[in-house]
Amino acid sequence: MPDTIPENSVGIVTPEVVHFDEPLELACGRTLSNYQLVIETYGELNGAKSNAILICHALSGHHHAAGYHSADDNKPGWWENHIGPGKPFDTNRFFIVCPNNLGGCHGSTGPNSINPETGKPWGLDFPPLRARDWVQSQAKLADRLGIQQWAAVAGGSLGGMQAMRWALEYPERIRHAIVIASAMKLSAQNIAFNEIARNAIKSDPDFRDGHFLEDNTLPRNGLALARMIGHVTYLSDELMGNKFGRELRSGSFQQGQDTPIEFQVESYLRHQGDAFSSSFDANTYLLMTKALDYFDLAREYDNDPVKAFSHALCDFLVVSFSTDWRFAPERSQEIVKALIDANKTVSYAAIDSNLGHDAFLLPNERYEQILYAYMNRVADEPSCSNKVAASVEASS
Amino acid sequence: MSIRTDLDIIQQWIAAESRVLDLACGDGALLKNLKHHKQVEGYGLEIDPDKITAAITNGINVVETDLNKGLSQFPDNSFDTVVMTQALQVMRFPHLVLEEMLRIGKECIVTFPNFGNWRARSSLFIHGRMPITKQLTYQWYDTPNIHFCTVKDFEALCDEKNIHVIHKEFVAERIPDKQIKGIWPNLFSDTAIYLLSK
């Protein structure tokens, strides 16, 4: 943690656990008899409960989107750049909710939870999930928090997919969808990279067919390798060139020298992989990448995105980043085109950035300006204010 | 005046509750006005980052787009009216943009600064240098305006492309241009406004 918590941070935050003692029917046909979601909230829900924003996390994200868990915490939540007092997702104006997705490994029910039927960790037997399952569980969470309608649902990457799914599944319960660095479905190349990552995990002898927890092992090498592959797809060629180039960490190419050579980029990737493999669950990684692969916004709408979006009632903000090759600007433009053809309210910004897909997590002046401008609009709407909604309630 | 005069004329030519695409929409002033007065369903295309932010603040649907890369994402006749105000002269290929506008819109409205205005002509005639006027403020070597035309030039292009001129109006702000622009638009108008169809 920095020496003092910055004024524009939400400060020390404490996650909460929300239990649901009711079954959740999943898209795969199976049912979770009960489940829990670990969440963080920032800001205050107004009396009319009209200022709530749902933040959906991406593949390796979690509920800790902003602030610090303790004074010793060495880094803030993953969207600290955008959530906080005076930031685009302004906690002085909005009540922000960020859950860890079902199937996650940071406290929500997932593969490392205990399967009530066997008394052992679910492991690979945990039901496969789709974005719509997350959206359904988030709707149950909204019910629990007394939120009838989100002022906005926002997310980057896989988070953006959830925001879009929200717009179609619960059109009356969302006023704005903020879809950042996302896509309506994965390309063959995207799926291919995910499959390589999954194979890396499964081929680790410590994976034990997904039951490594029972065997007291962890497929660290496989998970680290999976993360290394994924991480390369999150960065741009330009960024890696600028950051590492062909710099050596050790060894030398001098004639007559035979010391082992290690490039900086190798060391960096290894560090990323190692750090991830000690904080993430291999089965969750498999589950999340599969959910990504399966996601196809328009599948059940005759594969017609216009038909799909015709069900939406909310306004959309779509944002892409120039060097993102995982979900390239063209993927965002497809979303925008479908929204315009469906006569929906949409704005689109194509941000210049050399940071690749990860740009959605990182500071960028123009990105912030766009989010500020849009979120001010959301906050200034009569439907977001406490007074108007309250008076409607009083008159009804 | 809070809003440009040409925008007032454009407003008269747009049907209430119609679907409007505004190319180079700037901060969205026209669409905001049309949304307010005509309840149109409007989308603006813009490339300038600050203007995009301003348009979002104005509550306008703004889509970041490079018009020079074409508009193939928009289906034929998908808008009632496609508008482009004061931007034809900055396009790489004005005639192709015009063709695209006519393909996408049932009707099109184009406004442009008239380079045939006597002030521009006399500046070139008397001083022998590219005009810098109140409307045309850039130096020739550093200007976004790469394709100026006159009223006559524009009408010749419409003839050549078989573009139907439904209405035209001319705007001049100053005296005596204001009074006599109707007699000789190509000489006295600052801005030309055309309503076109295929």
Side-chain angles (χ1 to χ4, degrees), chain A residues 336-337 340-341 343-350 366 369-370 373-374 377, chain B residues 19 41 43 49 52-53 56-57 59-64 73-75 79:
Chain A
V336 173
K337 176 183 161 43
I340 294 176
D341 288 350
N343 223 6
K344 298 298 164 185
T345 296
V346 56
S347 285
Y348 169 59
R366 181 159 181 239
Q369 278 172 6
I370 294 288
Y374 196 84
R377 199 165 123 181
Chain B
R19 201 167 137 83
E41 187 77 48
Y43 296 90
I52 291 169
T53 307
I56 289 177
T57 300
I60 294 306
N61 290 325
V62 59
V63 174
E64 184 158 341
Q73 68 270 38
F74 296 102
F79 283 85

mmCIF file of all heavy atoms in Angstrom, chain A residues 336-337 340-341 343-350 366 369-370 373-374 377, chain B residues 19 41 43 49 52-53 56-57 59-64 73-75 79:
data_model
loop_
_atom_site.group_PDB
_atom_site.id
_atom_site.type_symbol
_atom_site.label_atom_id
_atom_site.label_comp_id
_atom_site.label_asym_id
_atom_site.label_seq_id
_atom_site.Cartn_x
_atom_site.Cartn_y
_atom_site.Cartn_z
ATOM 1 N N VAL A 336 -21.294 -2.254 -32.242
ATOM 2 C CA VAL A 336 -21.878 -0.933 -32.515
ATOM 3 C C VAL A 336 -22.781 -0.990 -33.745
ATOM 4 O O VAL A 336 -23.897 -0.455 -33.749
ATOM 5 C CB VAL A 336 -20.754 0.114 -32.712
ATOM 6 C CG1 VAL A 336 -21.329 1.447 -33.156
ATOM 7 C CG2 VAL A 336 -19.963 0.284 -31.428
ATOM 8 N N LYS A 337 -22.309 -1.666 -34.771
ATOM 9 C CA LYS A 337 -23.110 -1.775 -36.004
ATOM 10 C C LYS A 337 -24.454 -2.444 -35.704
ATOM 11 O O LYS A 337 -25.519 -1.980 -36.134
ATOM 12 C CB LYS A 337 -22.356 -2.575 -37.065
ATOM 13 C CG LYS A 337 -23.196 -2.796 -38.317
ATOM 14 C CD LYS A 337 -22.489 -3.651 -39.351
ATOM 15 C CE LYS A 337 -23.447 -4.249 -40.378
ATOM 16 N NZ LYS A 337 -24.478 -3.363 -40.898
ATOM 17 N N ILE A 340 -26.721 -0.057 -33.844
ATOM 18 C CA ILE A 340 -27.297 0.997 -34.696
ATOM 19 C C ILE A 340 -28.390 0.398 -35.583
ATOM 20 O O ILE A 340 -29.476 0.963 -35.712
ATOM 21 C CB ILE A 340 -26.200 1.671 -35.560
ATOM 22 C CG1 ILE A 340 -25.219 2.432 -34.674
ATOM 23 C CG2 ILE A 340 -26.828 2.622 -36.590
ATOM 24 C CD1 ILE A 340 -24.045 3.053 -35.406
ATOM 25 N N ASP A 341 -28.097 -0.765 -36.152
ATOM 26 C CA ASP A 341 -29.096 -1.402 -37.023
ATOM 27 C C ASP A 341 -30.352 -1.762 -36.229
ATOM 28 O O ASP A 341 -31.441 -1.837 -36.784
ATOM 29 C CB ASP A 341 -28.506 -2.652 -37.701
ATOM 30 C CG ASP A 341 -27.478 -2.267 -38.773
ATOM 31 O OD1 ASP A 341 -27.397 -1.061 -39.094
ATOM 32 O OD2 ASP A 341 -26.757 -3.147 -39.264
ATOM 33 N N ASN A 343 -31.431 0.088 -33.942
ATOM 34 C CA ASN A 343 -31.980 1.389 -33.524
ATOM 35 C C ASN A 343 -31.814 1.646 -32.027
ATOM 36 O O ASN A 343 -32.699 2.229 -31.400
ATOM 37 C CB ASN A 343 -33.458 1.461 -33.905
ATOM 38 C CG ASN A 343 -33.794 2.818 -34.494
ATOM 39 O OD1 ASN A 343 -32.895 3.638 -34.698
ATOM 40 N ND2 ASN A 343 -35.052 3.058 -34.751
ATOM 41 N N LYS A 344 -30.703 1.188 -31.473
ATOM 42 C CA LYS A 344 -30.471 1.375 -30.042
ATOM 43 C C LYS A 344 -29.563 2.587 -29.813
ATOM 44 O O LYS A 344 -28.825 2.995 -30.707
ATOM 45 C CB LYS A 344 -29.822 0.123 -29.428
ATOM 46 C CG LYS A 344 -30.675 -1.114 -29.539
ATOM 47 C CD LYS A 344 -31.986 -0.972 -28.790
ATOM 48 C CE LYS A 344 -32.989 -2.016 -29.213
ATOM 49 N NZ LYS A 344 -34.307 -1.825 -28.586
ATOM 50 N N THR A 345 -29.629 3.100 -28.599
ATOM 51 C CA THR A 345 -28.804 4.238 -28.221
ATOM 52 C C THR A 345 -27.386 3.744 -27.931
ATOM 53 O O THR A 345 -27.196 2.893 -27.060
ATOM 54 C CB THR A 345 -29.414 4.896 -26.969
ATOM 55 O OG1 THR A 345 -30.697 5.391 -27.335
ATOM 56 C CG2 THR A 345 -28.575 6.049 -26.478
ATOM 57 N N VAL A 346 -26.422 4.259 -28.679
ATOM 58 C CA VAL A 346 -25.041 3.776 -28.501
ATOM 59 C C VAL A 346 -24.030 4.870 -28.816
ATOM 60 O O VAL A 346 -24.224 5.655 -29.745
ATOM 61 C CB VAL A 346 -24.746 2.529 -29.375
ATOM 62 C CG1 VAL A 346 -25.021 2.781 -30.836
ATOM 63 C CG2 VAL A 346 -23.311 2.029 -29.187
ATOM 64 N N SER A 347 -22.974 4.911 -28.006
ATOM 65 C CA SER A 347 -21.807 5.720 -28.349
ATOM 66 C C SER A 347 -20.596 4.805 -28.355
ATOM 67 O O SER A 347 -20.555 3.807 -27.633
ATOM 68 C CB SER A 347 -21.607 6.859 -27.346
ATOM 69 O OG SER A 347 -22.563 7.871 -27.595
ATOM 70 N N TYR A 348 -19.624 5.171 -29.202
ATOM 71 C CA TYR A 348 -18.448 4.313 -29.352
ATOM 72 C C TYR A 348 -17.187 5.159 -29.396
ATOM 73 O O TYR A 348 -17.123 6.141 -30.139
ATOM 74 C CB TYR A 348 -18.566 3.501 -30.647
ATOM 75 C CG TYR A 348 -17.290 2.783 -31.050
ATOM 76 C CD1 TYR A 348 -16.693 1.857 -30.212
ATOM 77 C CD2 TYR A 348 -16.680 3.039 -32.283
ATOM 78 C CE1 TYR A 348 -15.525 1.208 -30.576
ATOM 79 C CE2 TYR A 348 -15.514 2.385 -32.674
ATOM 80 C CZ TYR A 348 -14.940 1.468 -31.812
ATOM 81 O OH TYR A 348 -13.781 0.825 -32.176
ATOM 82 N N ALA A 349 -16.208 4.778 -28.609
ATOM 83 C CA ALA A 349 -14.907 5.443 -28.651
ATOM 84 C C ALA A 349 -13.828 4.406 -28.922
ATOM 85 O O ALA A 349 -13.801 3.354 -28.283
ATOM 86 C CB ALA A 349 -14.632 6.165 -27.338
ATOM 87 N N ALA A 350 -12.970 4.705 -29.894
ATOM 88 C CA ALA A 350 -11.844 3.832 -30.234
ATOM 89 C C ALA A 350 -10.588 4.505 -29.688
ATOM 90 O O ALA A 350 -10.077 5.451 -30.268
ATOM 91 C CB ALA A 350 -11.762 3.666 -31.748
ATOM 92 N N ARG A 366 -7.539 9.623 -22.386
ATOM 93 C CA ARG A 366 -8.746 9.718 -23.207
ATOM 94 C C ARG A 366 -9.828 8.730 -22.740
ATOM 95 O O ARG A 366 -11.014 9.050 -22.702
ATOM 96 C CB ARG A 366 -8.393 9.450 -24.673
ATOM 97 C CG ARG A 366 -9.615 9.581 -25.497
ATOM 98 C CD ARG A 366 -9.470 9.835 -26.952
ATOM 99 N NE ARG A 366 -10.821 9.931 -27.438
ATOM 100 C CZ ARG A 366 -11.354 9.148 -28.371
ATOM 101 N NH1 ARG A 366 -10.611 8.250 -28.968
ATOM 102 N NH2 ARG A 366 -12.605 9.288 -28.714
ATOM 103 N N GLN A 369 -11.504 10.218 -19.894
ATOM 104 C CA GLN A 369 -12.419 11.297 -20.305
ATOM 105 C C GLN A 369 -13.741 10.738 -20.807
ATOM 106 O O GLN A 369 -14.815 11.255 -20.497
ATOM 107 C CB GLN A 369 -11.783 12.128 -21.425
ATOM 108 C CG GLN A 369 -10.819 13.176 -20.925
ATOM 109 C CD GLN A 369 -10.076 13.849 -22.061
ATOM 110 O OE1 GLN A 369 -10.376 13.608 -23.239
ATOM 111 N NE2 GLN A 369 -9.115 14.679 -21.719
ATOM 112 N N ILE A 370 -13.649 9.691 -21.609
ATOM 113 C CA ILE A 370 -14.863 9.085 -22.167
ATOM 114 C C ILE A 370 -15.719 8.519 -21.025
ATOM 115 O O ILE A 370 -16.933 8.749 -20.973
ATOM 116 C CB ILE A 370 -14.495 7.967 -23.174
ATOM 117 C CG1 ILE A 370 -13.797 8.554 -24.411
ATOM 118 C CG2 ILE A 370 -15.710 7.133 -23.558
ATOM 119 C CD1 ILE A 370 -14.686 9.338 -25.343
ATOM 120 N N ALA A 373 -17.280 11.385 -19.056
ATOM 121 C CA ALA A 373 -18.373 12.043 -19.780
ATOM 122 C C ALA A 373 -19.615 11.160 -19.735
ATOM 123 O O ALA A 373 -20.728 11.631 -19.473
ATOM 124 C CB ALA A 373 -17.957 12.328 -21.220
ATOM 125 N N TYR A 374 -19.405 9.868 -19.962
ATOM 126 C CA TYR A 374 -20.570 8.975 -20.020
ATOM 127 C C TYR A 374 -21.189 8.778 -18.641
ATOM 128 O O TYR A 374 -22.412 8.828 -18.478
ATOM 129 C CB TYR A 374 -20.186 7.628 -20.642
ATOM 130 C CG TYR A 374 -21.420 6.856 -21.073
ATOM 131 C CD1 TYR A 374 -22.001 7.106 -22.311
ATOM 132 C CD2 TYR A 374 -22.027 5.930 -20.243
ATOM 133 C CE1 TYR A 374 -23.154 6.456 -22.702
ATOM 134 C CE2 TYR A 374 -23.179 5.264 -20.627
ATOM 135 C CZ TYR A 374 -23.731 5.521 -21.859
ATOM 136 O OH TYR A 374 -24.878 4.877 -22.243
ATOM 137 N N ARG A 377 -23.243 11.567 -17.469
ATOM 138 C CA ARG A 377 -24.552 11.500 -18.115
ATOM 139 C C ARG A 377 -25.461 10.543 -17.334
ATOM 140 O O ARG A 377 -26.612 10.860 -17.080
ATOM 141 C CB ARG A 377 -24.313 10.984 -19.537
ATOM 142 C CG ARG A 377 -25.405 11.240 -20.507
ATOM 143 C CD ARG A 377 -24.838 11.002 -21.898
ATOM 144 N NE ARG A 377 -25.612 9.990 -22.612
ATOM 145 C CZ ARG A 377 -25.322 9.571 -23.839
ATOM 146 N NH1 ARG A 377 -24.279 10.071 -24.489
ATOM 147 N NH2 ARG A 377 -26.063 8.677 -24.431
ATOM 148 N N ARG B 19 -35.039 9.094 -38.816
ATOM 149 C CA ARG B 19 -33.753 8.513 -38.423
ATOM 150 C C ARG B 19 -32.666 9.267 -39.177
ATOM 151 O O ARG B 19 -32.654 9.291 -40.419
ATOM 152 C CB ARG B 19 -33.788 7.040 -38.836
ATOM 153 C CG ARG B 19 -32.830 6.137 -38.126
ATOM 154 C CD ARG B 19 -33.237 4.692 -38.435
ATOM 155 N NE ARG B 19 -32.084 3.864 -38.734
ATOM 156 C CZ ARG B 19 -31.324 3.285 -37.802
ATOM 157 N NH1 ARG B 19 -31.613 3.420 -36.546
ATOM 158 N NH2 ARG B 19 -30.299 2.551 -38.155
ATOM 159 N N GLU B 41 -34.338 10.084 -34.178
ATOM 160 C CA GLU B 41 -33.436 9.031 -33.694
ATOM 161 C C GLU B 41 -32.112 9.308 -34.416
ATOM 162 O O GLU B 41 -32.019 9.070 -35.611
ATOM 163 C CB GLU B 41 -34.011 7.684 -34.100
ATOM 164 C CG GLU B 41 -33.306 6.485 -33.540
ATOM 165 C CD GLU B 41 -33.657 6.250 -32.087
ATOM 166 O OE1 GLU B 41 -34.857 6.274 -31.745
ATOM 167 O OE2 GLU B 41 -32.719 6.052 -31.314
ATOM 168 N N TYR B 43 -27.783 9.505 -34.964
ATOM 169 C CA TYR B 43 -26.430 9.016 -34.698
ATOM 170 C C TYR B 43 -25.447 9.980 -35.341
ATOM 171 O O TYR B 43 -25.658 10.396 -36.482
ATOM 172 C CB TYR B 43 -26.212 7.617 -35.289
ATOM 173 C CG TYR B 43 -27.087 6.560 -34.660
ATOM 174 C CD1 TYR B 43 -28.343 6.283 -35.179
ATOM 175 C CD2 TYR B 43 -26.667 5.857 -33.533
ATOM 176 C CE1 TYR B 43 -29.169 5.328 -34.599
ATOM 177 C CE2 TYR B 43 -27.477 4.905 -32.940
ATOM 178 C CZ TYR B 43 -28.724 4.640 -33.485
ATOM 179 O OH TYR B 43 -29.528 3.694 -32.895
ATOM 180 N N PRO B 49 -11.246 13.399 -30.933
ATOM 181 C CA PRO B 49 -11.488 12.907 -29.573
ATOM 182 C C PRO B 49 -12.240 13.889 -28.678
ATOM 183 O O PRO B 49 -13.171 13.513 -27.964
ATOM 184 C CB PRO B 49 -10.086 12.654 -29.026
ATOM 185 C CG PRO B 49 -9.254 12.396 -30.227
ATOM 186 C CD PRO B 49 -9.820 13.249 -31.311
ATOM 187 N N ILE B 52 -15.843 14.103 -29.619
ATOM 188 C CA ILE B 52 -16.565 12.884 -29.224
ATOM 189 C C ILE B 52 -16.953 12.979 -27.747
ATOM 190 O O ILE B 52 -18.103 12.713 -27.383
ATOM 191 C CB ILE B 52 -15.709 11.627 -29.503
ATOM 192 C CG1 ILE B 52 -15.583 11.425 -31.018
ATOM 193 C CG2 ILE B 52 -16.321 10.394 -28.839
ATOM 194 C CD1 ILE B 52 -14.565 10.395 -31.439
ATOM 195 N N THR B 53 -16.004 13.399 -26.926
ATOM 196 C CA THR B 53 -16.305 13.561 -25.496
ATOM 197 C C THR B 53 -17.426 14.577 -25.307
ATOM 198 O O THR B 53 -18.363 14.349 -24.531
ATOM 199 C CB THR B 53 -15.042 14.021 -24.728
ATOM 200 O OG1 THR B 53 -13.987 13.117 -25.038
ATOM 201 C CG2 THR B 53 -15.266 14.032 -23.235
ATOM 202 N N ILE B 56 -20.752 13.090 -26.225
ATOM 203 C CA ILE B 56 -21.244 12.180 -25.173
ATOM 204 C C ILE B 56 -21.859 13.016 -24.046
ATOM 205 O O ILE B 56 -22.945 12.714 -23.553
ATOM 206 C CB ILE B 56 -20.109 11.266 -24.652
ATOM 207 C CG1 ILE B 56 -19.740 10.239 -25.724
ATOM 208 C CG2 ILE B 56 -20.517 10.573 -23.348
ATOM 209 C CD1 ILE B 56 -18.588 9.332 -25.375
ATOM 210 N N THR B 57 -21.168 14.080 -23.660
ATOM 211 C CA THR B 57 -21.691 14.968 -22.625
ATOM 212 C C THR B 57 -23.040 15.549 -23.045
ATOM 213 O O THR B 57 -23.943 15.705 -22.228
ATOM 214 C CB THR B 57 -20.682 16.109 -22.354
ATOM 215 O OG1 THR B 57 -19.465 15.507 -21.929
ATOM 216 C CG2 THR B 57 -21.177 17.060 -21.278
ATOM 217 N N GLY B 59 -25.226 14.128 -24.608
ATOM 218 C CA GLY B 59 -26.243 13.078 -24.639
ATOM 219 C C GLY B 59 -26.543 12.568 -26.039
ATOM 220 O O GLY B 59 -27.619 12.038 -26.299
ATOM 221 N N ILE B 60 -25.579 12.733 -26.931
ATOM 222 C CA ILE B 60 -25.768 12.337 -28.330
ATOM 223 C C ILE B 60 -25.152 10.960 -28.568
ATOM 224 O O ILE B 60 -24.138 10.620 -27.972
ATOM 225 C CB ILE B 60 -25.080 13.386 -29.240
ATOM 226 C CG1 ILE B 60 -25.801 14.732 -29.115
ATOM 227 C CG2 ILE B 60 -24.992 12.948 -30.685
ATOM 228 C CD1 ILE B 60 -27.276 14.663 -29.363
ATOM 229 N N ASN B 61 -25.760 10.179 -29.442
ATOM 230 C CA ASN B 61 -25.151 8.926 -29.886
ATOM 231 C C ASN B 61 -23.999 9.269 -30.810
ATOM 232 O O ASN B 61 -24.240 9.684 -31.941
ATOM 233 C CB ASN B 61 -26.143 8.102 -30.711
ATOM 234 C CG ASN B 61 -27.268 7.550 -29.881
ATOM 235 O OD1 ASN B 61 -27.074 7.199 -28.729
ATOM 236 N ND2 ASN B 61 -28.439 7.458 -30.481
ATOM 237 N N VAL B 62 -22.798 9.122 -30.334
ATOM 238 C CA VAL B 62 -21.661 9.452 -31.193
ATOM 239 C C VAL B 62 -20.800 8.209 -31.388
ATOM 240 O O VAL B 62 -20.516 7.486 -30.434
ATOM 241 C CB VAL B 62 -20.845 10.643 -30.632
ATOM 242 C CG1 VAL B 62 -20.301 10.352 -29.249
ATOM 243 C CG2 VAL B 62 -19.717 11.031 -31.582
ATOM 244 N N VAL B 63 -20.454 7.955 -32.630
ATOM 245 C CA VAL B 63 -19.702 6.750 -32.972
ATOM 246 C C VAL B 63 -18.396 7.175 -33.631
ATOM 247 O O VAL B 63 -18.405 7.841 -34.670
ATOM 248 C CB VAL B 63 -20.529 5.859 -33.923
ATOM 249 C CG1 VAL B 63 -19.703 4.677 -34.405
ATOM 250 C CG2 VAL B 63 -21.789 5.376 -33.221
ATOM 251 N N GLU B 64 -17.291 6.814 -33.001
ATOM 252 C CA GLU B 64 -15.989 7.203 -33.541
ATOM 253 C C GLU B 64 -15.784 6.518 -34.887
ATOM 254 O O GLU B 64 -15.797 5.292 -34.985
ATOM 255 C CB GLU B 64 -14.870 6.820 -32.567
ATOM 256 C CG GLU B 64 -13.513 7.296 -33.042
ATOM 257 C CD GLU B 64 -12.501 7.412 -31.920
ATOM 258 O OE1 GLU B 64 -12.890 7.468 -30.744
ATOM 259 O OE2 GLU B 64 -11.311 7.447 -32.232
ATOM 260 N N GLN B 73 -20.311 -0.075 -43.320
ATOM 261 C CA GLN B 73 -21.041 -0.714 -42.221
ATOM 262 C C GLN B 73 -22.519 -0.328 -42.205
ATOM 263 O O GLN B 73 -23.309 -0.971 -41.523
ATOM 264 C CB GLN B 73 -20.382 -0.397 -40.870
ATOM 265 C CG GLN B 73 -20.461 1.055 -40.406
ATOM 266 C CD GLN B 73 -19.296 1.905 -40.872
ATOM 267 O OE1 GLN B 73 -18.803 1.756 -41.989
ATOM 268 N NE2 GLN B 73 -18.846 2.811 -40.033
ATOM 269 N N PHE B 74 -22.870 0.714 -42.950
ATOM 270 C CA PHE B 74 -24.271 1.148 -42.952
ATOM 271 C C PHE B 74 -25.004 0.599 -44.175
ATOM 272 O O PHE B 74 -24.579 0.829 -45.305
ATOM 273 C CB PHE B 74 -24.361 2.681 -42.932
ATOM 274 C CG PHE B 74 -23.811 3.285 -41.685
ATOM 275 C CD1 PHE B 74 -22.550 3.865 -41.682
ATOM 276 C CD2 PHE B 74 -24.524 3.256 -40.501
ATOM 277 C CE1 PHE B 74 -22.018 4.416 -40.523
ATOM 278 C CE2 PHE B 74 -24.013 3.805 -39.338
ATOM 279 C CZ PHE B 74 -22.747 4.383 -39.348
ATOM 280 N N PRO B 75 -26.120 -0.112 -43.964
ATOM 281 C CA PRO B 75 -26.868 -0.671 -45.083
ATOM 282 C C PRO B 75 -27.501 0.407 -45.963
ATOM 283 O O PRO B 75 -27.668 1.550 -45.520
ATOM 284 C CB PRO B 75 -27.973 -1.496 -44.398
ATOM 285 C CG PRO B 75 -27.597 -1.609 -42.965
ATOM 286 C CD PRO B 75 -26.694 -0.478 -42.651
ATOM 287 N N PHE B 79 -31.127 5.100 -43.333
ATOM 288 C CA PHE B 79 -31.490 6.338 -42.633
ATOM 289 C C PHE B 79 -32.420 7.185 -43.500
ATOM 290 O O PHE B 79 -32.342 7.134 -44.731
ATOM 291 C CB PHE B 79 -30.234 7.148 -42.289
ATOM 292 C CG PHE B 79 -29.490 6.591 -41.109
ATOM 293 C CD1 PHE B 79 -28.566 5.559 -41.284
ATOM 294 C CD2 PHE B 79 -29.730 7.058 -39.827
ATOM 295 C CE1 PHE B 79 -27.902 5.020 -40.198
ATOM 296 C CE2 PHE B 79 -29.069 6.520 -38.739
ATOM 297 C CZ PHE B 79 -28.154 5.501 -38.916
#
